[in-house]
Amino acid sequence: MREYQRCTNCVMDTTDSKIVFDEKGMCDHCHNFYENIKPNWHPDEQGEKQLNEIVEKIKREGKGKKYDCIIGLSGGVDSSYLAYYAVKKLGLRPLLFACDTGWNLNVAVQNVEKITKGLDMPLYTEIVNWNEMRDLQLAFFKAQVPYQDIPQDHVIFAALYNHATKNGIKYVLTGGNNSTECVREPNEWVYQNDIRMIKDIHKKYGTIPLKTLPMCGMFKAHLYYKYIKGMKVVKPLDLIPYTKADAIATLQKEFGWEPYANKHFESVFTRFYEGYWLIKKFGYDKRKCHFSSLILTGQLSRDEALHTLEQPPYDEKTAMEDLEYVAKKLGLTKDEFLEIMEQPNRTYQDYKNTSKMIAFAVKMARLVGMEKRQYR
C-alpha cells in the first residue's frame, strides 16, 4: 500500500494512484498546469482577437439561418454564463438545448427557465426515454464501476451533437474551460466516453433494448461529425477572463440565478453519485480536482479547500434521502441498493473497452495542442 501523500501546492493526493510528486512535494497535475496549460491559455487580448474571428465566422456562416450555433444549457454556472455571454456580449443567435434525463433538481430547471426567458432565446428540451435511461443506469450500478456519470453524460452530449448535426447547426458552444477544470479527474475516477464499454455493460446487466436513447461515441463525435458533417466545437470561456465568482455574481444580478452547493450538483443523481457513491465505495472525492483547478487559477486558497474537504459534500440526512430516492426511481429497495454497493469494486478493464484507442487519440490531441490537461 502506497503511503498517503497530498500535494503541497494543490489538494490532489494519492487517492489518484498514479500521481507523481517532485522533491518539494508538488504533484504532476500542478506541473502540467504551469508547463503546458498556463503558457498556452490566453484569456487576454490574444484570446479576444481569436474569439472575435470565430464569432465573425459563426455569424457569416449562420446568416439567413434560424440559429447560428447551439449551446447545451444545464442550469449550471458555466453553461449559463456561456449563454449570457454569447447572446449579450457576442451577439450570437444560439438555440439553447436542454436534455431531460429524469433527474434534474428544481433549482436546475428554474435556472434554465430564468436564463432562457431573461435572454429571450428559444429553448429546445429533449426528453429521453426514461425506461431506457433507468435500465442503462441500473446496469452501470450492477457493473460496480466508479463512473456512474457516464450514462447520463453520454446521453446529454449525444443528444446535443445529434440534434445539432440533424438540424444543420455546425457550431456547438460548450462551457468547458481551463479556469475551473484545468485538473482533469484521473481515469480511475472518471473514465472516458467509451461506447464499447457502455454497450458491454448494458449487454451484461441491462434488461431492455436501448432503441431510442441518444448514442454517439467519441469517434463519431470527433471524426464523422467533425470532418464529414462539419461540426465545430468552440470553448469561448477559454478565450475571455472567466472566474467562477464573477460569473455567479453576474448571473445572480442579471437573472436571479441560484448557485448549487457543489459543481455538477444540478441533478439528484449526480449529487448522490459524486457526494456519496464515489466517496463511500471507492474513496474518490471529485472536489479535490475541482478545488485544485480553482487553486491553480487563483480563485481559491489551499487552506479554504482543505477546510471544506474536511466536511462531507452534503449532510448525511440528505444523502440518505437521496439514496432512497435514487434506489426507488431505479426500481430497487434501499436494502437492494446497499447490497449492490457492498459488492466488489470493478473498473473499465473488467469490460470490453477501447481504452488503448482512446489513449492514443488523446495523445495525438495533446501533441497538436487540442488537449493540455493531464491524462492517465
Side-chain angles (χ1 to χ4, degrees), residues 301-366:
S301 75
R302 186 171 181 273
D303 286 343
E304 284 181 278
L306 289 172
H307 176 72
T308 305
L309 285 171
E310 291 176 357
Q311 311 301 320
Y314 63 136
D315 64 275
E316 187 74 14
K317 181 177 180 293
T318 306
M320 288 300 97
E321 290 172 353
D322 280 358
L323 188 151
E324 292 191 33
Y325 178 81
V326 169
K328 184 177 180 180
K329 191 152 186 172
L330 292 176
L332 302 172
T333 65
K334 178 181 177 181
D335 288 341
E336 287 173 332
F337 189 89
L338 289 172
E339 187 176 334
I340 288 176
M341 280 194 72
E342 292 170 2
Q343 298 302 310
N345 295 344
R346 294 184 178 180
T347 75
Y348 65 89
Q349 295 172 323
D350 293 300
Y351 303 96
K352 293 178 181 178
N353 65 78
T354 53
S355 59
K356 291 182 179 179
M357 293 177 67
I358 291 173
F360 177 77
V362 173
K363 183 179 180 180
M364 293 298 102
R366 284 177 64 85

Side-chain angles (χ1 to χ4, degrees), residues 197-374:
M197 183 196 69
I198 293 172
K199 290 181 176 179
D200 190 48
I201 285 177
H202 185 258
K203 182 179 179 181
K204 286 181 168 65
Y205 301 106
T207 59
I208 62 173
L210 304 181
K211 293 182 177 179
T212 65
L213 210 60
M215 290 285 177
C216 178
M218 286 188 69
F219 294 97
K220 182 178 182 181
H222 297 294
L223 294 177
Y224 177 70
Y225 279 173
K226 181 177 181 179
Y227 295 105
I228 304 301
K229 292 292 187 178
M231 187 180 80
K232 298 175 180 65
V233 178
V234 182
K235 297 180 178 180
L237 299 186
D238 268 347
L239 301 172
I240 64 173
Y242 176 69
T243 62
K244 185 176 180 181
D246 289 344
I248 289 174
T250 298
L251 293 171
Q252 289 178 319
K253 179 182 177 182
E254 296 286 335
F255 309 101
W257 181 93
E258 187 177 343
Y260 306 145
N262 284 302
K263 187 176 176 70
H264 299 149
F265 270 30
E266 69 271 15
S267 156
V268 178
F269 183 88
T270 309
R271 181 172 70 184
F272 171 74
Y273 145 68
E274 289 191 4
Y276 190 84
W277 164 276
L278 199 59
I279 294 175
K280 295 288 185 181
K281 185 169 170 62
F282 295 90
Y284 304 150
D285 190 340
K286 290 176 69 173
R287 292 180 301 170
K288 294 174 184 176
C289 299
H290 303 158
F291 293 167
S292 292
S293 292
L294 297 177
I295 291 168
L296 289 170
T297 55
Q299 301 176 67
L300 181 70
S301 75
R302 186 171 181 273
D303 286 343
E304 284 181 278
L306 289 172
H307 176 72
T308 305
L309 285 171
E310 291 176 357
Q311 311 301 320
Y314 63 136
D315 64 275
E316 187 74 14
K317 181 177 180 293
T318 306
M320 288 300 97
E321 290 172 353
D322 280 358
L323 188 151
E324 292 191 33
Y325 178 81
V326 169
K328 184 177 180 180
K329 191 152 186 172
L330 292 176
L332 302 172
T333 65
K334 178 181 177 181
D335 288 341
E336 287 173 332
F337 189 89
L338 289 172
E339 187 176 334
I340 288 176
M341 280 194 72
E342 292 170 2
Q343 298 302 310
N345 295 344
R346 294 184 178 180
T347 75
Y348 65 89
Q349 295 172 323
D350 293 300
Y351 303 96
K352 293 178 181 178
N353 65 78
T354 53
S355 59
K356 291 182 179 179
M357 293 177 67
I358 291 173
F360 177 77
V362 173
K363 183 179 180 180
M364 293 298 102
R366 284 177 64 85
L367 285 174
V368 299
M370 292 176 61
E371 174 63 75
K372 296 292 184 182
R373 296 182 302 171
Q374 192 91 300

